[in-house]
Amino acid sequence: MRMYDIISKKKHGKSLSREEIQFWVNGYTRGDIPDYQISALMMAICFQGMDETETLDLTLAMRDSGEVLDLSGIHGTKVDKHSTGGVGDKTSLILGPMVASLGIPVAKMSGRGLGHTGGTIDKLECFPGFSTALSKEKFCQNVNQIKIAIMGQTGSLAPADKKLYALRDVTATVDQLSLIASSIMSKKLAANADAIVLDVKTGNGAFMKKEEDAFALAREMVQIGKNAGKQMAAVVTDMDQPLGRAVGNSLEVKEAVLALNGLGPSDLMEVVYALGKEMVLAAGRAETPEEARALLEQTIKTKAALDKFAEFVEVQSGDKRFVYQPELLPVGKIQLQVLNNEEGFISRIYAEEIGLASLVLGGGRITKESEIDLSVGILLNKKRGDRVNPGDVLATIYANDMERAKDAYGKIVCAFQIQKEPAENISMIKGVVR
Ligand code: URA
């Protein structure tokens, strides 16, 4: 087999066979095929696309390029949840304990934040001592014992995707639907839960700005998962403003704890319940979405989910006092209010700008190696739909450096879009793909 022929075949719009896909994925991972040939192939795929069989074959070849976790030691239907990345997205911190407190095993791999989006691992590290560096044995043992464990994504899962994604990033070949779907799903299939619930974000702060693209991505990922024998659901959710009111690690953890105490903001809870219902249904714990929601609501009312969160933090070596006393969590020493100067209604809050403001404060990573300040961030005092007058506080900045706070101020002011007429009510849940 020759790489030249594979590139030429795709350039002419033909489908690649499983053997051809395995040939280039394995050859590239080993370092036998150079970047320039894979770059040419990626560009050909961007123009010609891939059919369903090719997309599945690529996903499986990338999954099999590294370790596939053996979760057979965990009893029951293991569920995993993945978000395509947003601003203020702390749903995993709330959902994990809610679902686990119903006795459903939550075996989750999470990543760190990069750029304007946050990551679950960073948030969990707000609990002093918390560790996600679990051995596979400990991971399985924890899920069996307390029904939840979260582990940092290891480099041994889907190494082909890691190499390919880095190449796509610098060759303008990231934004092809089948490549994105196979990239995300290769990692999820390597993490190997039985049921995977995807949160596909759409809007100005999301990877998929247009709703129709988000649905197309959701459908493609659900199809790949089903073809690989997994139970699948994808919920397409709004990211036209940050989710909830808190952006920044420590502030988001506080908001998650508030949510577990029944005080979560409505937009955040709408997304939590929509994803949670799919997780409960996939695990076979409820027959209908209504029944699933009622079960989930009970976990909040009875504080079972809050106690499960504390147990989870403790088992992963974190200080659980912070769960019951979130005021112990560190917040930036400088607090700066962002003031409004127009009369009207908030129609949009550019999530990406808010994420970038948090990055400027030191709360996010510019490169994978950056150190981050867990205590900084932004609290949104106003959200979409709210009526505002001049002088109202739009947001509060938590910082440790005045220059950075001023820089963030400018970004936050620009993120708020205000109109004269009341803003239309936008649903957080755009739809579900099963
Ligand atoms: N996230 C991924 O993991 N892969 C992509 O290709 C795009 C977003």
Side-chain angles (χ1 to χ4, degrees), residues 378-422:
I378 299 132
L379 213 54
L380 301 172
N381 298 78
K382 300 287 179 194
K383 294 259 334 210
R384 185 172 57 207
D386 285 349
R387 185 189 185 109
V388 284
N389 289 306
D392 283 351
V393 178
L394 294 175
T396 309
I397 298 170
Y398 291 80
N400 286 316
D401 178 305
M402 200 43 154
E403 282 312 305
R404 285 177 180 235
K406 284 183 189 156
D407 206 354
Y409 193 109
K411 288 195 169 9
I412 297 168
V413 167
C414 293
F416 278 83
Q417 192 175 300
I418 294 167
Q419 64 184 32
K420 290 279 167 239
E421 324 73 55

Side-chain angles (χ1 to χ4, degrees), residues 160-170 174 183 187 207:
D161 171 66
K162 198 169 178 196
K163 208 169 164 190
L164 205 56
Y165 193 14
L167 183 73
R168 287 166 53 218
D169 210 18
V170 292
V174 167
S183 165
K187 289 169 281 209
F207 205 61

